[in-house]
Amino acid sequence: MSFDVRRFDIYRKVPKDLTQPTYTGAFISIICCVFILFLFLSELTGFIATEIVNELYVDDPDKDSGGKIDVSLNVSLPNLHCDLLGLDIQDEMGRHEVGHIDNSMKIPIDDNNGCRFEGVFTINKVPGNFHVSTHGATSQPPNPDMTHIIHKLAFGEKLTVQNVKGAFNALGGADRLSSNPLSSHDYILKIVPTVYEDLSGRQRFSYQYTVASKEYIAYSHTGRIIPAIWFRYDLSPITVKYTERRQPIYRFITTICAIVGGAFTVAGIIDSCIFTASEAWKKIQIGKMS
């Protein structure tokens, strides 16, 4: 007794002599194929592209930094001479540095009447402040003018990722040229650690921040007005993590199978209904259906 493996064929074939092509079926088939192609290309685009997933957790992500944060500052003071300008840094760990000069430049602007300060320095991961002022000058000017434009204030690594819209340079473009020249400016910053992980697993550590500001007239113990631009900061315990992901291949295949199978099934149902209705209408017309 021979064993015929064809018994297990669940996709039985119908002879062409027993099938009937119709114009309606052809039209539905074409529409179905176009629809399947459209959905396939949409899924393929989504599969090739990457998505950014974000999460929040409590931790210090960059433990290898030694408790330091890199700061990049670029600010212009068009009415203050470079010889008078300096950067001071202090924090709750006891750091108090007046006239910080490492990795910084003071560039004369406006015919040497103003100055642009560009600096890269580090701060400790504790509450503190850094400020641009004349505190480190050998002699204080009578009326220092602290009107300014902040071009850049950023912390950590630079992130240039298209799909990540964050406040990495929230003070960029801040214009205080119309302020009172003798006013001090306080910028209160809340720094939020941010991690970006790409498809290869490489992590980049940056920091976003929110800012609130105020202006006021500050007097020294001698009664003189000594304005400054203060950046007072504190760190948030919450870390924001952005992870770059791509849709797994098995999910893409599953979706494509669902699209093809579902579209053909629905098209078959529609064609069957139209064909049945058409046959019934023909029988009514020739009087064979009561």
Side-chain angles (χ1 to χ4, degrees):
M1 180 178 179
S2 61
F3 179 76
D4 191 356
V5 74
R6 289 180 298 175
R7 295 177 181 179
F8 297 100
D9 184 6
I10 61 175
Y11 303 103
R12 300 300 179 93
K13 312 303 182 294
V14 180
K16 289 186 178 180
D17 295 342
L18 301 179
T19 60
Q20 178 183 348
T22 62
Y23 288 107
T24 302
F27 178 75
I28 293 175
S29 298
I30 294 172
I31 296 297
C32 178
C33 290
V34 172
F35 184 64
I36 290 174
L37 180 62
F38 169 74
L39 293 180
F40 172 78
L41 293 177
S42 299
E43 286 297 323
L44 182 61
T45 302
F47 173 72
I48 295 175
T50 57
E51 62 175 349
I52 305 296
V53 179
N54 61 77
E55 59 180 315
L56 303 176
Y57 59 93
V58 178
D59 193 14
D60 177 13
D62 191 9
K63 295 182 175 65
D64 297 330
S65 64
K68 304 288 186 180
I69 300 176
D70 293 328
V71 183
S72 178
L73 176 64
N74 187 333
V75 57
S76 293
L77 293 88
N79 301 310
L80 192 66
H81 198 274
C82 282
D83 292 339
L84 303 171
L85 190 63
L87 176 69
D88 309 329
I89 307 172
Q90 58 188 41
D91 59 35
E92 292 187 359
M93 290 184 68
R95 181 182 184 183
H96 191 179
E97 187 174 348
V98 179
H100 179 88
I101 59 174
D102 294 339
N103 299 319
S104 63
M105 294 187 300
K106 292 188 285 187
I107 305 169
I109 58 175
D110 295 339
D111 296 327
N112 210 27
N113 294 319
C115 187
R116 185 170 84 245
F117 178 87
E118 297 181 11
V120 178
F121 54 96
T122 61
I123 58 175
N124 295 315
K125 291 184 178 180
V126 294
N129 73 78
F130 51 92
H131 53 277
V132 177
S133 67
T134 61
H135 297 166
T138 54
S139 61
Q140 293 296 318
N143 295 304
D145 188 336
M146 281 295 166
T147 54
H148 61 277
I149 299 176
I150 300 175
H151 306 291
K152 179 183 180 182
L153 176 60
F155 301 87
E157 294 185 54
K158 182 180 179 180
L159 290 182
T160 55
V161 183
Q162 183 177 2
N163 295 329
V164 175
K165 306 297 183 183
F168 296 99
N169 186 22
L171 273 175
D175 188 333
R176 299 295 184 268
L177 295 181
S178 59
S179 300
N180 185 339
L182 296 177
S183 290
S184 287
H185 300 264
D186 253 10
Y187 297 102
I188 297 93
L189 314 177
K190 194 70 172 181
I191 302 175
V192 181
T194 303
V195 183
Y196 182 83
E197 183 176 319
D198 59 21
L199 287 174
S200 65
R202 175 177 175 263
Q203 292 186 337
R204 283 178 281 175
F205 302 96
S206 186
Y207 296 84
Q208 303 181 63
Y209 62 92
T210 59
V211 59
S213 63
K214 64 178 180 179
E215 296 181 23
Y216 58 94
I217 302 296
Y219 295 89
S220 68
H221 63 279
T222 61
R224 293 184 56 188
I225 299 176
I226 305 180
I229 306 172
W230 295 82
F231 301 92
R232 307 181 192 274
Y233 62 87
D234 193 5
L235 272 78
S236 169
I238 301 296
T239 295
V240 180
K241 183 177 182 181
Y242 298 98
T243 305
E244 192 176 36
R245 294 179 183 174
R246 180 168 288 161
Q247 182 180 348
I249 184 66
Y250 69 84
R251 186 178 300 173
F252 173 70
I253 294 174
T254 302
T255 304
I256 295 303
C257 291
I259 288 173
V260 175
F264 271 117
T265 300
V266 172
I269 293 173
I270 294 174
D271 179 63
S272 178
C273 292
I274 293 176
F275 180 77
T276 301
S278 175
E279 291 297 310
W281 177 249
K282 289 179 182 179
K283 290 181 179 180
I284 291 174
Q285 285 183 322
I286 62 177
K288 289 186 177 181
M289 189 171 182
S290 57

